[in-house]
Amino acid sequence: MQIQTKLPKVGTTIFTVMSQLALEHKAINLGQGFPDFDGPPALRDALTRAMAQGRNQYAPMIGVPALREAIARKTERLYGRKVNADTEITVTSGATEALFAAIAAVVQAGDEVIVLDPCYDSYDPAITLCGGRAVHVPLDPASFLPDWARIEAAVTPRTRLILVNTPHNPCGSVFSADDVAELASLARSHDLFVVSDEVYEHIVFDAAAHQSVLRHAELAERSFVISSFGKTYHCTGWKIGYCIAPRALSAEFRKVHQYLTFCTFTPAQWALAEVLEADPQHYLDLPAFYQAKRDHFRALLARSKFRLRPVGGSYFQIVDYSALSDADDLAFCEWLVKEGGVAAIPLSSFYDEPPPGQRLVRLCFAKSEALLEEAAQRLEAL
C-alpha cells in the first residue's frame, strides 16, 4: 500500500537529533529547552498528596475547577482581565496540544495563517494538518521583532489567523505595548483570529512587563492565549498548559481538545492549583531568577569568540559564531557537539527559508551554574 504523507516536509525534529548527538558524544546539552533542576519542593509534595488522596482518575475535560479558578485569579491580578473559569479557561496536555487545538478550532481547508519566522517548529505542521497554508513572514533580522507593514502586506482574503509568540522562542525578543496595539489594529482591519503563544510569560527581563494580548480588551476578544506550567514551574515533562479564549472560541477549542487528549494529568492539576494559590511569589520571582542566569551566562561567554544577541525574555541565548566558522549552522552544530562538547540548535531549523549566510545558533541557559560554567569553558576553548 502506498502511503501519501500529510507532512512531507517533516522528519525527526532537530531537538531530538541534537539531544541524541549530545548523548552519543557525552556533550553538554544546551540545545533542547528544558531545565536541569526541579521545580519547587512544595509542588512535588502537593503532587504526592494528590495521588495519595486518590485523585488519579479522569479530570473534567476542561480542567479541575480549583485550577481553572486559580488561573482566573492570576490572570486578573497580572493583566487586569477578568476571565470566566468555566467558559474561558481550558487546561491542556502541554502548550503544544493547546496550540494545535486552537489552530484546528478556526482554520479551514484553504485558509492562510501568518507565522513570524523564526518560529517554533510545531506551528507549521499543525496548520498543514488542518488543511491550511502557513505564510511565513520574517521578523527583523537584527531585533527579531515584527515589521508590521511587511506583515500587513502578507494578508490576503484567505488569511484567517495570525500566530505570534512573546517572549520569543528561539530569539528572546519581547513585544512592546506598541506591538500589541499594532497587532490589534491588524486583526481588526482584516477580521483575523489571533493565537498568542505566551509560554514564557513570566520570564521577561530588565524590569519590563510582559505584554500579553490579555491586556488589550479588544484583542483578547478574538484571541487564543496559550500558557505553560512546565516553563513556569521547571517541570516540562508534566506537559500541562492552558488556553484562555472568549466563550465562543473556547467552545470550538474544546470540541478539538476533547477528542485530542480529552483531559490532562489529574493529580498534577490539583498540585498546581494548590501551589498557585499558596505561593504566587514563585512566578513573581521568576524574572529575577532567570535574569541572573542570563547575565551569568553572558558574562561567561564574553570571553569566547561568540557574539551575543540581546535577550529580553525566555531562557535562550542566540549567538553568532561567524568568527569561528563559515559553515552553515547545522554543520556547525554537528561539529560543535562532536569537537566542542556542547549541543546547540541551528537557528535555520526555525525558518521556512532561512536568510542566506546567517551564522546563528540557540543555546539554553535554564541550567545550573556549574553546568553553564563548564559549557562556557568548552566554548571559550574553541
Side-chain angles (χ1 to χ4, degrees), residues 15-292:
F15 308 106
T16 300
V17 170
M18 296 312 303
S19 291
Q20 183 59 41
L21 279 174
L23 283 172
E24 290 174 9
H25 295 277
K26 297 181 173 58
I28 295 172
N29 189 355
L30 300 188
Q32 197 163 4
F34 60 86
D36 69 340
F37 44 85
D38 283 332
L43 181 60
R44 299 197 303 276
D45 293 344
L47 177 68
T48 301
R49 279 195 301 276
M51 290 188 291
Q53 290 165 359
R55 290 171 165 163
N56 300 302
Q57 308 310 322
Y58 294 127
M61 181 269 286
I62 62 175
V64 167
L67 180 55
R68 288 184 282 108
E69 290 160 7
I71 292 167
R73 286 188 286 271
K74 169 176 170 280
T75 300
E76 187 172 10
R77 282 196 303 269
L78 291 180
Y79 307 130
R81 182 164 181 83
K82 189 173 182 63
V83 293
N84 188 300
D86 293 326
T87 61
E88 298 183 310
I89 298 172
T90 309
V91 179
T92 62
S93 296
T96 303
E97 189 236 321
L99 287 161
F100 184 92
I103 292 165
V106 294
V107 173
Q108 307 280 345
D111 286 346
E112 294 177 351
V113 178
I114 291 177
V115 297
L116 308 180
D117 277 5
C119 65
Y120 188 59
D121 68 344
S122 78
Y123 299 169
D124 200 314
I127 294 162
T128 300
L129 286 171
C130 295
R133 184 175 80 87
V135 176
H136 293 262
V137 180
L139 296 168
D140 180 272
S143 67
F144 294 113
L145 287 169
D147 178 338
W148 292 106
R150 188 168 186 176
I151 293 167
E152 183 150 31
V155 176
T156 76
R158 289 186 173 274
T159 307
R160 179 80 162 171
L161 171 72
I162 178 169
L163 205 163
V164 298
N165 173 210
T166 182
H168 190 266
N169 174 19
C171 297
S173 54
V174 297
F175 274 18
S176 66
D178 287 344
D179 286 312
V180 175
E182 291 277 8
L183 175 62
S185 176
L186 180 78
R188 180 193 317 118
S189 298
H190 300 283
D191 196 22
L192 304 180
F193 294 114
V194 175
V195 171
S196 186
D197 178 350
E198 301 184 16
V199 300
Y200 298 99
E201 63 182 313
H202 299 300
I203 310 177
V204 181
F205 306 135
D206 306 315
H210 169 55
Q211 296 300 323
S212 174
V213 304
L214 293 168
R215 294 183 186 273
H216 194 291
E218 179 194 10
L219 186 54
E221 287 299 324
R222 60 172 71 242
S223 297
F224 301 89
V225 179
I226 312 298
S227 296
S228 166
F229 287 118
K231 302 296 189 295
T232 301
Y233 286 97
H234 321 313
C235 56
T236 59
W238 288 22
K239 292 297 291 179
I240 300 181
Y242 60 93
C243 174
I244 297 177
R247 183 179 187 134
L249 291 184
S250 286
E252 295 306 310
F253 179 95
R254 291 168 177 182
K255 290 177 184 179
V256 180
H257 167 69
Q258 71 179 341
Y259 293 114
L260 194 57
T261 60
F262 182 72
C263 67
T264 295
F265 185 38
T266 304
Q269 290 195 55
W270 285 103
L272 286 162
E274 180 180 322
V275 171
L276 265 178
E277 292 292 278
D279 185 21
Q281 200 60 41
H282 171 81
Y283 60 76
L284 295 175
D285 288 343
L286 213 57
F289 174 81
Y290 273 117
Q291 183 167 333

Side-chain angles (χ1 to χ4, degrees), residues 289-317:
F289 174 81
Y290 273 117
Q291 183 167 333
K293 288 187 177 295
R294 178 200 68 171
D295 293 348
H296 182 55
F297 190 46
R298 287 173 66 87
L300 293 169
L301 290 181
R303 301 194 295 260
S304 74
K305 294 179 181 177
F306 292 96
R307 295 201 297 271
L308 310 183
R309 293 294 188 92
V311 183
S314 84
Y315 47 53
F316 301 111
Q317 173 68 61

